Every structure is written in C-alpha cells, then in structure tokens.
Amino acid sequence: MRTIFRKAHVCDPSQGIDRVADVVVDEGKVLAIVDDSTPYDVGSCEVIDCSGLVLTPGLIDLHVHLREPGFEYKEDVQSGTAAAVAGGFTAVCCMPNTDPPLDEPSVIRGLLKRAEQVGVARVYPIAAITKGLQPEGLTEMAALKEAGAVAVTDDAYPLQSAEVLRRGMEYAGQLGLPVLTHCEDKSLTKDACMNEGLTSTIMGLRGMPAVAEETQVARNCLLSLYTGCRLHILHVSTAGAVRIIRWAKERGAPVTAETCPHYFALTDEACMGYNTNAKMNPPLRTQADCDAIVEGLLDGTIDAIATDHAPHAAHEKAQEFALAPFGIVGLETAFALSFTELVSTGRMSLSALIEKMSCQPAKILGLPGGTLAPGAPADIALFDLKRSWTVRSSEFRSKSRNTPFEGWELTGKPVLTMVAGRIVYREG
Amino acid sequence: MPTEVKVMDAHEMRRALTRIAHEILERNKGAEDLVLVGILRRGAPLAHRLSRLIENIEGTSVPVGELDITLYRDDYRTHTVSDTGATRIPVDITDKKVVLVDEVIYTGRTVRAAISALMDLGRPACVQLAVLIDRGHRELPIRPDYVGKNLPTSRQEFVDVRLEEIHGEDSVCIRKPDEER
Amino acid sequence: MLTDLIALRETEPGDIRLLLDTAQSFREILERPVKKVPTLRGRQVVTLFYEASTRTRVSFENAAKIMSADTTSVAAATSSVQKGESLLDTVRNLRAMQIDCLVMRHPQSGAAHLVAQALDIPVVNAGDGMHEHPTQALLDMLTIRQHKGRLEGLTVAIVGDIAHSRVARSNLWGLTKMGAKVRFVAPATLLPRDVHGLPVEVYTDLRAGVEGADVVMALRLQQERMERGLLPSLREYAQRWGVNAKVLELTKPDCIVMHPGPMNRGVEIADDVADSGRSVILEQVTNGVAIRMAVLYHLLGGEASA
C-alpha cells in the first residue's frame, strides 16, 4: 500500500529539510521526498492533500507511564498509545513503575506482546535498574535487553546510594544500555509535595527544594564522567540542574537530558488553590527556572522534550494536596504546548522543536525513527500549525484527565499520525 | 424623583416627646422602677431624650438601656443585618417597669423581637411601648402605649425619622415612591 | 458577601472588619446569665475534627449553641475515616444529612479549601495543616483592638515556630490587611523558605525582633520539631527565643502578650509573662467564642442588609 502526502510543508531536521514537498510512503517505509510525486502515483494509492499542513517525523516520547500491567484503571497500552498518536507521537518509551514492575524479561515480553496486539504506537520498554525498584539489587539487564528493554531507570524511585548507581551504570554501560535517572535527594524532600519557595510557604505545604534535584544531577553527572556510562537525566526542572548539565557536557560527560512542557509553561503558582493537577515530581518551579529551561533547550544543554505522561484516576487527584499522587497526563498536549510556548513566541524554530521531540529522542536511546530519510520507517506526524484549539480533558483518549492545562488555548494540532505506513490517527 | 413631605419638624418632635414623658409619668405614677430601653439604632437617642425630659419634670433620673434586636429578628435568613449593635442595659430589668422606645411602629415585628430580646435579659414587672410615629399596617397583635403622632401611610411609602444625634437634624419625612409613568 | 471562611489571605479587608465589629457587639451576650439568642434556631452545625483540639472545638460549639444552632461533633477517630473513606466522601455524606454548616480541622493544608469547593453550604476552616487558622487570627485581632483601640499602625511580633504555624500565617494576612506591621521572629530552622517574599519583617534575634513592639505573640513549640532535628534542645530554644519579662522590657511599655494555646510554660513563654498583667491569653479565649458567633452569624444568614 502506497500513500502520498501531497504539498506538505516537510520539516525533517535529520536531513535539513524544511520546505513544501510531497512525501511518498510505500511498504511501511519512506520511499521518497520529492517536489512532484506524479511519477509515483501508480493508482490505487492513497493521496492525502497536505496543503497548509506540516509533516514531520513522528514524535518520540522518552518518558511515558503506560501503567500496564497493574494500574489499568489509570491507563493501559491501548488507551496510552491511542493518546500518544492523537498527540503526534509514533513511539513511546514506557517506565517500569508498574505492578509487577518492568524488572523481569517476562514482564517486558508480555508488555511488548500487548503493544503488538494493540498495534497503535511503537512501545519501547525501559526496565528497572534495580529489582522491584528497590534501593539496591541490580536487575538482570542483559536478559532484559534481550527481551526488548531499551534502557534502565530509577524513575519514581531515585537511587539514594551512589554506590548502587555507580555499579548499575557500570553494568548497564557494558551492555550499551543508557541509564535514565530521576534526580532527587530524598532526605531533602521528606513529606514534600511541591516546590519549596514563596508559594509553598503561603500554602503551608512542605516543599522540595531545587537543591534536592541539583545535588543528584551533579552526583549522577560525575558518576557518568567517572564510569563513562551513558546517562540521561529525566525531567530537568531547575535552573541549577541546567547549569550543572551544561558543565558536565563541556567536560565531555556522555550525558543527555530531557525536560517536559510543564517545566517551561507553568510555575509553582499553578498549585495555588491546592490544584492537585499541578502536582508532579519534580515539582513546578519558578519563572527563573522556566527561563533557564528554555535557555537550556536553545543551547542544546537539554536535548529533548518528553511528557512524563503520568495518568491518575479522578478520585486519586480529588484529595488533600499532600495526599494526591504526583503526575499529570501530557501526551495529548505536549506538542501544542511546546509549539505555543516556544515556536509561536519566536523563541525556537519549528525544526528545533521537531529535533527535540523526534530526532534527539531517537538518537538518545538508539531507536528507529526520528527521520524521514528514504528507507526509514514511515512514522509520520501531520500538524495544522495555524489551528487554535482549547484543551478539553473530556475529549482525551487517555483514560485519565489530570491536566493543569484544562481550558488553555493552544496553537498547533496533530491532524494525522502514521506508524509504519499505517494511518493510526486521523482527526475528525 | 421620589417626593418627600416633611410631617414633623424639630419643635413638633420636642413637643411630642415632652407629652410622652408626661404620659409615662402619669401612667406609672412617677419615675420609680422605670427603665427606658431604646431599640437600636434610632430608638436609643429617643430613650435618652425621654430620660432627660423625665428628669426635668420629676427630678429623678431614669436609667436608659440600648437594645440590639438583630439576633431576634424573624427575617435573619432572608435579610441579614450586617451592622449589628451591642445591647447595653445598666440595670437588672427584673421587676422593673420597662418602657421600650422606638422611632416608628409599623408591622410590629421589631417590637416582637425586642420583647423576646428583653425577656432573655430578665423578667420585667411590665413592658410598655413608646413610639414617635405610628404609621399603621400592624401584622401582629401589638399596640403602643405612647404615640407621638399617628401617621396614616401606604405600604409603599417610607417614613424617615432623622435625629440630631445620628443625622444632625430632627425631622420626620414621608417619602413617596416614584410616580407611575 | 462571605460564603465560606477558609483563609484570611483570601478574605476582603471589609469582611474582616465586619467580623470583628460583629463579634465586638456580641461580646455582651457572653456576660449574660442566660447565654442564648434564637438566631440560628433549627440550623445544624457540624464540627469535623481530624486533629485533637479541645479549645477550638468547644469554642465553635459554644458559639453555635449560644446562637441556638444544633451542633454535632465528629471526631476522626470515631468516624468512617478509620475505614479508609476519602475526605470528600465523608463530607458529602454529612451534607446529605442536610446539615447547614461545616466547621472542620484537618492536618493537611488545603483540606478546607477542597471541602468548600465540593459543598454548597458554608465551610469554616478551624485550622488546616500549616496553612491557615482564620478564626484564631480574628480573635487575636479582636483582642488587640480591644486593648489598643485600633490595629492600624501597630507592630505585632510573632515569635516561634513560624514555618509550621497556621496561626502565624492567618495573623500575617489579617493584621497586614488591617494596616498593622508584622514581624516574624524565629530561629532560622523554623522560618519558612522565601519568608522575605511575604509582607513581614524577619528576625532571628528575639531582642531585636520585639524591640518597640505593641504586641508580642508567642507560638507553641511542638516537641516534634526537636525530633525532626530542627532544634538542638528545648533549653537553648527557651533561652534564646522564650518570651520572658526581661525581653519584654524592650517592647513598648504597654505591650500586651498573647499565645494561641496550649502553652508550654518555660519554653516559648515564661511564667512571669503568662501570668502577668500584660498577658491577655484568657481574653483571647473569650473573644474566640464571640468571633465564632460572628462567623456563624454572617455565614448562615441571607442577603446582607444594613
């Protein structure tokens, strides 16, 4: 089956393409990007008129909580990947804090099988670095890699012991598995539920100081330099963390970093009124942090934008602020938020954004995709960047509605998503 | 424009109050055991004036109290008074002859509330009622003992008693609502 | 118009003044032999307390009873909280019993806010975590006003565990809205982060902090602060930050001393202060009843008329 995207504004930073062209897809792969696709139109192929639309390599999300197995009332592979493709994502990397956690090959294989059955977006499991995400006890990473894990992580259960992390990095390093770390010194965040600062002081809530994130970012970067292991810093939220990562990169540490749209779109003031949909970990910080995050994205210190899509049921969020779980959904708002906050405001080019949301994520974990080079998988997103729309969580494909962006007017809407040559999402 | 008609000036008010002072003394055979209790706000200055008038006539001073009836009103749920006052009665009213004083009697509901409020403070020997203006339209079986002036009104009209102590002048006006066009 | 009383930070200055004036006018009722007015006859007021408290709960219940409301007291230990029911489910069930007003205390900041959003009846915050305790601040302000005749222009030094104190927060917002100057005096480990961003003068030195003050308010020091390692010892705290007669020599001569209770005598407040003529601590308690009567009066009433 052949598909021709006609007269699309093609934006593929991996090849330096940023112009109107036709994209021809055949047998699940990109066949060609040409000015005139007439010769390729052999009949019986679907021709999609893309006038006025932007076509990019499908977005890749490095950080998603699909919640399956164990927490299917929040999300599952079906609903999570449906949300992903509705947001322009063709692949998601899913985190291991499930029940059971992704710490054994059988669980990884089971998950991949489910993803294949559902067949919406590509799913890349990230395994736990320790058994049961406990403070120590490395997982069988070689077997996990064989089963399909693309990286290991301590997400949501940050390793407090530098020794455990050091050995984990050494072990993962020999296997070529990147280590993804959630940076948080738990001794500084006991019982805390939001950023520590004026807002937490006014609200009377225990705060997580920025330094709790920064000390671990520094420690982990130093361990990366020391062990030579590929380190990826998850969800960077503070100005200090950006500076430390910049320093580590300058010294040649094999470190990459991601942030999430909420860390540049919102400050901790969004928590006012005890809005549990603005509660996540790391927490929303200050305007100075938001500005530093954008600066880090622009100068390449921060390589990627991920969502940290963390669905929770309504009743879990309808609690006292400190008792509500951390996390917000993000798959269906991430692109539009990033486009609105970064590109529409003139701070970032469209191709730089696609770089952060597609090309770099693919490179960081060595995944297929992130490019429309001939022969690459036909993972494609099509956006209407002129369209303004209002975030209505009731319309989400995700099972959960925990977004702080309800009612926001955003620009840029995914209109069609293709995975391996198959249209998996089409608006309307 | 609503129209306003003055029905009592300062002289007439003084004469009315003087007459009421005489009537109170006559009815109670002197000033003994009398307590004057003004209903807040406009009844309170009138009670003080009556006390002075009685003192002028009789040479005895009569204790004066002020009664806030806000907490006893029957329309609390629909119209909550924000400007509450404090009840101040300098003597125990038990076995005293209490004369309640208010500026206008209309439906009788304020007086009903005042009697309830009074009863929570003690058991007076009797309670009498003095008003400057009786404008009719009673909704309860209540009748004043001393009236400065009977003033037939319609329910649409508003009787505005202005007092030197509060408003800087003594007068009573009837305000008529807007003429229908 | 007031619909709930959750936080003085969110209360209009006009409403604060109204509550103080109303409470002042109600004080007389507390002096009567028969302390009963019929205003709230037939109204159901529920006090829902998830934290131990004698003073505040009794104060609210007495206020409601003086106003002729019926009161029901729900303590977390005896309620379905023990069965794992959520806060919102608990209060929705109470509401379904056709109650008219909910007074609640909860260890979590924001709990009253959460409940007020979910219920269509007035909710009164009787203390939520480290957030606010608005009726305490109102009764403090009423007490200060009775002694000083005003709030505007006064200097009020609040001494002690500011970081964890809802009383300090409510007083800060209430007093500054009424034109008073507020100082926070505490050891650095008991000051909240970015405290300088609040409209307050901050001192770690007690002597400097109380100098020239019109009011000194000592806060209760919880034993837990020692356990969390925020202070080396009670002894050092009492020596450095305990309010005693000697330190009060630095204040204005007519300075009054307050404490929200319960007091740790010899820790945050010395006996020679607590029992002195400067102490207005028991007047605070009496004013608490009047303030809570005023709060119930305005929250349970109808459309305001002058």
Coordinates of all heavy atoms in Angstrom, one line a residue, chain A residues 189-193 195-207 209 272-274 276 286 315 317-323, chain C residues 9-10 86-88 106 108-111 113-114 117 128-132 163-164 169 173 192-198 224-225 228:
Chain A
T189 N 13.5 15.9 50.7 CA 12.1 16.0 50.2 C 11.1 15.2 51.0 O 10.0 14.9 50.5 CB 12.0 15.6 48.7 OG1 12.4 14.2 48.6 CG2 12.9 16.4 47.8
K190 N 11.5 14.9 52.2 CA 10.6 14.1 53.1 C 9.2 14.8 53.2 O 9.2 16.0 53.6 CB 11.2 13.9 54.4 CG 10.6 12.9 55.3 CD 11.4 12.6 56.5 CE 10.8 11.5 57.4 NZ 9.6 11.9 58.1
D191 N 8.2 14.0 52.9 CA 6.8 14.5 53.0 C 6.5 15.8 52.2 O 5.5 16.4 52.4 CB 6.4 14.9 54.5 CG 6.5 13.7 55.4 OD1 6.3 12.6 54.9 OD2 6.8 13.9 56.6
A192 N 7.4 16.1 51.3 CA 7.2 17.3 50.5 C 6.3 17.0 49.3 O 6.3 15.9 48.8 CB 8.5 17.9 50.1
C193 N 5.6 18.0 48.8 CA 4.7 17.8 47.7 C 4.7 18.9 46.6 O 3.9 18.8 45.7 CB 3.3 17.6 48.3 SG 2.7 19.0 49.3
N195 N 7.2 22.5 45.0 CA 8.4 23.3 45.0 C 8.5 24.0 46.3 O 7.5 24.6 46.8 CB 8.5 24.3 43.9 CG 9.8 25.0 43.9 OD1 10.9 24.5 43.9 ND2 9.7 26.4 43.8
E196 N 9.7 24.1 46.9 CA 9.9 24.9 48.1 C 10.2 26.3 47.7 O 11.2 26.6 47.0 CB 11.1 24.3 49.0 CG 11.2 25.1 50.3 CD 12.2 24.4 51.2 OE1 13.4 24.7 51.0 OE2 11.8 23.7 52.1
G197 N 9.4 27.2 48.2 CA 9.6 28.6 47.9 C 8.5 29.4 48.4 O 7.7 28.9 49.3
L198 N 8.3 30.6 47.9 CA 7.3 31.5 48.5 C 5.9 30.9 48.4 O 5.1 31.0 49.3 CB 7.3 32.9 47.8 CG 6.3 33.9 48.3 CD1 6.6 34.2 49.7 CD2 6.5 35.2 47.4
T199 N 5.6 30.2 47.3 CA 4.2 29.6 47.1 C 4.0 28.5 48.1 O 2.9 28.5 48.8 CB 4.1 29.1 45.7 OG1 4.4 30.1 44.8 CG2 2.6 28.7 45.4
S200 N 5.0 27.7 48.4 CA 4.7 26.6 49.4 C 4.6 27.2 50.8 O 3.9 26.7 51.6 CB 5.9 25.6 49.3 OG 7.1 26.1 49.7
T201 N 5.4 28.3 51.0 CA 5.3 29.0 52.3 C 3.9 29.6 52.5 O 3.3 29.4 53.5 CB 6.4 30.1 52.3 OG1 7.6 29.5 52.5 CG2 6.1 31.1 53.5
I202 N 3.3 30.2 51.5 CA 2.0 30.7 51.6 C 1.0 29.6 51.7 O 0.0 29.7 52.6 CB 1.7 31.6 50.3 CG1 2.5 32.9 50.3 CG2 0.2 31.9 50.2 CD1 2.4 33.6 49.0
M203 N 1.1 28.5 51.0 CA 0.1 27.5 51.1 C 0.3 26.6 52.3 O -0.6 25.7 52.6 CB 0.2 26.6 49.8 CG -0.2 27.4 48.5 SD 0.1 26.4 47.0 CE -1.2 25.2 47.2
G204 N 1.4 26.7 53.0 CA 1.7 25.9 54.1 C 1.9 24.4 53.8 O 1.5 23.5 54.5
L205 N 2.6 24.2 52.7 CA 2.9 22.8 52.2 C 4.4 22.6 52.3 O 5.2 23.5 52.1 CB 2.4 22.6 50.8 CG 0.9 22.6 50.6 CD1 0.6 22.6 49.1 CD2 0.3 21.4 51.3
R206 N 4.8 21.4 52.6 CA 6.2 21.1 52.7 C 6.8 21.1 51.2 O 6.2 20.5 50.3 CB 6.4 19.7 53.3 CG 6.2 19.7 54.8 CD 6.7 18.4 55.4 NE 6.1 18.2 56.7 CZ 6.5 18.8 57.8 NH1 7.6 19.5 57.8 NH2 5.9 18.5 59.0
G207 N 7.9 21.7 51.1 CA 8.5 21.9 49.7 C 9.7 21.0 49.4 O 10.4 20.6 50.3
P209 N 13.1 21.4 47.8 CA 14.0 22.4 47.4 C 14.6 22.1 46.0 O 14.8 20.9 45.8 CB 15.0 22.5 48.5 CG 15.0 21.3 49.2 CD 13.6 20.7 49.0
M272 N -1.6 27.0 43.4 CA -2.5 27.8 44.3 C -3.9 27.3 44.2 O -4.3 27.0 43.1 CB -2.4 29.3 43.8 CG -1.2 30.0 44.3 SD -1.4 30.3 46.1 CE 0.0 31.4 46.4
G273 N -4.6 27.4 45.3 CA -5.9 26.8 45.3 C -5.8 25.3 45.5 O -6.8 24.6 45.3
Y274 N -4.7 24.8 45.8 CA -4.5 23.4 46.0 C -4.9 22.5 44.9 O -5.6 21.5 45.0 CB -5.2 22.9 47.4 CG -4.6 23.7 48.5 CD1 -5.2 24.9 48.9 CD2 -3.5 23.3 49.2 CE1 -4.6 25.7 50.0 CE2 -2.9 24.0 50.2 CZ -3.5 25.2 50.6 OH -3.0 25.9 51.6
T276 N -4.4 19.9 42.6 CA -3.6 18.7 42.5 C -3.2 18.3 41.1 O -2.3 17.5 40.9 CB -4.3 17.5 43.2 OG1 -5.6 17.3 42.5 CG2 -4.6 17.7 44.6
T286 N 10.0 28.0 39.5 CA 9.7 29.4 39.4 C 9.9 29.9 38.0 O 10.4 29.1 37.1 CB 10.7 30.2 40.3 OG1 12.1 30.0 39.8 CG2 10.7 29.7 41.8
H315 N -10.5 10.2 41.2 CA -10.6 10.1 42.7 C -9.3 10.2 43.4 O -9.2 10.6 44.5 CB -11.4 8.8 43.1 CG -10.6 7.6 42.9 ND1 -10.6 6.8 41.8 CD2 -9.8 6.9 43.8 CE1 -9.9 5.7 42.0 NE2 -9.3 5.8 43.2
K317 N -6.8 12.1 42.4 CA -6.4 13.5 42.5 C -7.3 14.4 43.3 O -7.0 15.5 43.7 CB -6.4 14.1 41.0 CG -5.1 13.7 40.3 CD -3.8 14.4 40.8 CE -2.7 14.2 39.8 NZ -1.4 14.9 40.4
A318 N -8.6 13.9 43.5 CA -9.6 14.7 44.3 C -9.3 14.4 45.8 O -10.1 13.9 46.5 CB -11.0 14.3 44.0
Q319 N -8.1 14.8 46.3 CA -7.7 14.5 47.6 C -7.0 15.8 48.2 O -6.7 16.7 47.5 CB -6.7 13.4 47.7 CG -7.3 12.0 47.4 CD -6.3 10.9 47.9 OE1 -6.2 10.7 49.1 NE2 -5.7 10.2 47.0
E320 N -6.7 15.7 49.5 CA -5.9 16.7 50.1 C -4.6 16.8 49.3 O -4.0 15.7 48.9 CB -5.6 16.3 51.5 CG -6.8 16.2 52.4 CD -7.5 14.8 52.4 OE1 -7.7 14.3 51.3 OE2 -7.8 14.3 53.5
F321 N -4.1 18.0 49.0 CA -2.9 18.2 48.1 C -1.8 17.2 48.4 O -1.2 16.6 47.5 CB -2.5 19.6 48.2 CG -1.5 20.0 47.0 CD1 -2.0 20.5 45.8 CD2 -0.2 19.8 47.2 CE1 -1.1 20.8 44.8 CE2 0.7 20.1 46.2 CZ 0.2 20.6 45.0
A322 N -1.4 17.1 49.7 CA -0.2 16.4 50.0 C -0.5 14.9 49.8 O 0.5 14.1 49.7 CB 0.2 16.6 51.5
L323 N -1.7 14.4 49.8 CA -2.0 13.0 49.7 C -2.2 12.6 48.3 O -2.1 11.4 47.9 CB -3.3 12.7 50.5 CG -3.3 13.0 52.0 CD1 -4.5 12.6 52.7 CD2 -2.0 12.4 52.7
Chain C
R9 N -6.0 35.2 53.9 CA -5.3 35.8 52.7 C -6.4 36.0 51.6 O -6.2 36.9 50.8 CB -4.3 34.7 52.2 CG -3.6 35.2 51.0 CD -2.4 34.3 50.7 NE -1.7 34.8 49.4 CZ -2.1 34.4 48.2 NH1 -3.1 33.5 48.1 NH2 -1.5 34.9 47.2
E10 N -7.5 35.3 51.6 CA -8.5 35.4 50.6 C -9.7 36.1 51.1 O -10.7 36.1 50.4 CB -8.9 34.0 50.0 CG -7.8 33.3 49.3 CD -7.8 31.8 49.4 OE1 -8.9 31.3 49.6 OE2 -6.8 31.2 49.3
S86 N -12.7 8.5 51.8 CA -12.0 9.8 51.5 C -12.7 11.0 52.1 O -13.8 10.9 52.5 CB -12.0 10.0 50.0 OG -13.2 10.5 49.5
L87 N -11.9 12.0 52.3 CA -12.4 13.3 52.9 C -13.7 13.7 52.2 O -14.7 14.1 52.8 CB -11.3 14.3 52.9 CG -11.7 15.7 53.4 CD1 -12.2 15.7 54.9 CD2 -10.6 16.7 53.3
L88 N -13.6 13.7 50.8 CA -14.8 14.3 50.1 C -16.0 13.4 50.3 O -17.1 13.9 50.4 CB -14.4 14.4 48.6 CG -13.5 15.6 48.2 CD1 -13.3 15.7 46.7 CD2 -14.1 16.9 48.8
H106 N -8.2 19.9 60.0 CA -7.6 18.8 59.3 C -6.1 19.0 59.3 O -5.6 20.1 59.2 CB -8.1 18.8 57.9 CG -7.9 17.5 57.2 ND1 -6.7 17.1 56.7 CD2 -8.8 16.5 56.9 CE1 -6.8 15.9 56.1 NE2 -8.1 15.5 56.2
Q108 N -4.0 18.4 57.0 CA -3.5 18.7 55.7 C -3.8 20.1 55.3 O -5.0 20.5 55.2 CB -4.1 17.7 54.6 CG -3.6 16.3 54.8 CD -2.1 16.1 54.6 OE1 -1.4 17.0 54.1 NE2 -1.6 14.9 55.0
S109 N -2.8 20.9 54.8 CA -3.1 22.2 54.3 C -4.0 22.0 53.0 O -3.8 21.2 52.2 CB -1.8 22.8 53.9 OG -0.9 22.9 55.0
G110 N -5.0 22.9 53.0 CA -5.8 22.9 51.8 C -7.1 22.0 51.9 O -7.9 22.0 51.0
A111 N -7.2 21.3 53.0 CA -8.3 20.4 53.2 C -9.6 21.1 53.2 O -10.6 20.8 52.5 CB -8.2 19.6 54.5
H113 N -10.2 24.0 51.9 CA -10.4 24.5 50.5 C -11.1 23.5 49.6 O -12.0 23.7 48.9 CB -9.0 24.9 50.0 CG -9.1 25.8 48.8 ND1 -9.4 25.4 47.6 CD2 -8.9 27.2 48.7 CE1 -9.3 26.4 46.7 NE2 -9.1 27.5 47.4
L114 N -10.5 22.3 49.7 CA -11.1 21.1 48.9 C -12.5 20.9 49.3 O -13.4 20.7 48.4 CB -10.2 19.9 49.3 CG -10.6 18.6 48.6 CD1 -10.2 18.6 47.1 CD2 -9.8 17.4 49.3
Q117 N -15.0 23.7 48.1 CA -15.3 23.6 46.7 C -16.4 22.5 46.4 O -17.1 22.7 45.4 CB -14.0 23.3 45.9 CG -13.1 24.5 45.7 CD -11.9 24.1 44.9 OE1 -11.3 23.0 45.1 NE2 -11.4 25.0 44.1
D128 N -6.1 24.2 59.0 CA -5.8 23.2 58.0 C -4.3 23.1 57.9 O -3.6 24.0 57.3 CB -6.4 23.4 56.7 CG -6.0 24.7 56.0 OD1 -5.7 25.7 56.7 OD2 -5.9 24.8 54.8
G129 N -3.7 22.1 58.5 CA -2.3 21.9 58.4 C -1.5 23.1 58.8 O -1.7 23.7 59.9
M130 N -0.5 23.5 57.9 CA 0.3 24.6 58.2 C -0.2 25.9 57.4 O 0.5 26.8 57.3 CB 1.7 24.3 57.8 CG 2.3 23.1 58.4 SD 4.0 22.8 58.0 CE 4.0 22.4 56.2
H131 N -1.4 25.8 56.9 CA -1.9 26.8 56.1 C -2.5 28.0 56.8 O -1.9 29.0 57.0 CB -2.9 26.2 55.1 CG -3.6 27.2 54.2 ND1 -4.9 27.2 53.9 CD2 -3.1 28.2 53.5 CE1 -5.2 28.2 53.1 NE2 -4.1 28.8 52.8
E132 N -3.8 27.8 57.3 CA -4.4 29.0 58.0 C -5.3 28.5 59.1 O -5.7 27.3 59.2 CB -5.2 29.8 57.0 CG -4.3 30.7 56.1 CD -4.9 32.1 55.9 OE1 -5.6 32.7 56.8 OE2 -4.7 32.6 54.8
A163 N 7.5 28.5 60.7 CA 7.4 27.6 59.5 C 6.2 26.7 59.5 O 5.6 26.5 58.5 CB 8.7 26.8 59.4
H164 N 5.9 26.2 60.7 CA 4.8 25.2 60.8 C 3.5 25.8 61.3 O 2.5 25.1 61.6 CB 5.2 24.0 61.7 CG 6.5 23.4 61.2 ND1 7.7 23.8 61.6 CD2 6.7 22.4 60.3 CE1 8.7 23.1 61.1 NE2 8.1 22.2 60.3
R169 N 0.5 32.5 59.9 CA 0.1 32.8 58.5 C -1.2 33.6 58.5 O -1.4 34.7 57.9 CB -0.1 31.6 57.6 CG 1.3 31.0 57.2 CD 1.1 29.7 56.5 NE 2.4 29.2 56.0 CZ 3.3 28.6 56.7 NH1 3.1 28.4 58.0 NH2 4.4 28.1 56.1
W173 N -1.7 37.7 57.3 CA -2.6 38.3 56.3 C -3.7 39.2 57.0 O -3.9 40.3 56.5 CB -3.3 37.1 55.5 CG -2.4 36.2 54.8 CD1 -2.2 34.9 55.0 CD2 -1.4 36.6 53.9 NE1 -1.2 34.4 54.2 CE2 -0.7 35.4 53.5 CE3 -1.0 37.8 53.3 CZ2 0.4 35.4 52.6 CZ3 0.0 37.8 52.3 CH2 0.7 36.6 52.0
P192 N 10.0 29.7 57.3 CA 9.8 29.0 56.0 C 10.6 29.6 54.9 O 11.1 30.7 55.0 CB 8.3 29.3 55.8 CG 8.0 30.5 56.5 CD 8.9 30.6 57.7
R193 N 10.8 28.8 53.9 CA 11.6 29.3 52.7 C 11.0 30.5 52.1 O 9.7 30.6 52.0 CB 11.6 28.1 51.7 CG 12.5 28.4 50.5 CD 13.9 28.2 50.8 NE 14.8 28.6 49.7 CZ 16.1 28.8 49.8 NH1 16.7 28.6 50.9 NH2 16.8 29.1 48.8
D194 N 11.8 31.4 51.7 CA 11.4 32.6 51.0 C 10.5 33.5 51.8 O 9.6 34.2 51.3 CB 10.8 32.3 49.6 CG 11.8 31.8 48.6 OD1 13.0 31.9 48.9 OD2 11.4 31.3 47.6
V195 N 10.7 33.4 53.1 CA 9.8 34.2 54.0 C 9.9 35.7 53.7 O 8.9 36.5 54.0 CB 10.1 33.9 55.5 CG1 11.5 34.3 55.9 CG2 9.1 34.5 56.4
H196 N 11.0 36.1 53.2 CA 11.2 37.5 52.9 C 10.3 38.0 51.8 O 10.1 39.2 51.6 CB 12.7 37.8 52.5 CG 13.6 37.6 53.7 ND1 13.8 38.6 54.7 CD2 14.3 36.5 54.1 CE1 14.6 38.1 55.6 NE2 14.9 36.9 55.3
G197 N 9.7 37.1 51.1 CA 8.8 37.4 50.0 C 7.4 37.8 50.5 O 6.5 38.2 49.8
L198 N 7.2 37.6 51.9 CA 5.9 37.9 52.5 C 6.0 39.4 53.0 O 7.1 39.9 53.3 CB 5.6 37.0 53.7 CG 5.5 35.5 53.3 CD1 5.4 34.7 54.6 CD2 4.3 35.3 52.5
E224 N 7.7 17.7 68.3 CA 8.1 17.1 67.0 C 9.3 17.8 66.3 O 10.1 17.2 65.6 CB 6.9 17.1 66.1 CG 7.1 16.2 64.9 CD 6.1 16.7 63.7 OE1 5.1 17.4 64.0 OE2 6.4 16.3 62.6
R225 N 9.4 19.2 66.5 CA 10.5 19.9 65.9 C 11.8 19.4 66.3 O 12.8 19.5 65.6 CB 10.3 21.4 66.2 CG 9.0 22.0 65.8 CD 8.5 21.8 64.4 NE 7.1 22.0 64.3 CZ 6.2 21.2 63.7 NH1 6.6 20.1 63.1 NH2 5.0 21.5 63.7
R228 N 12.6 16.1 64.6 CA 13.0 16.2 63.2 C 14.3 16.9 63.0 O 14.8 17.2 61.9 CB 11.9 17.1 62.4 CG 10.8 16.2 61.8 CD 9.9 17.0 61.0 NE 10.3 17.0 59.6 CZ 9.6 16.5 58.6 NH1 8.5 15.8 58.9 NH2 10.0 16.5 57.3

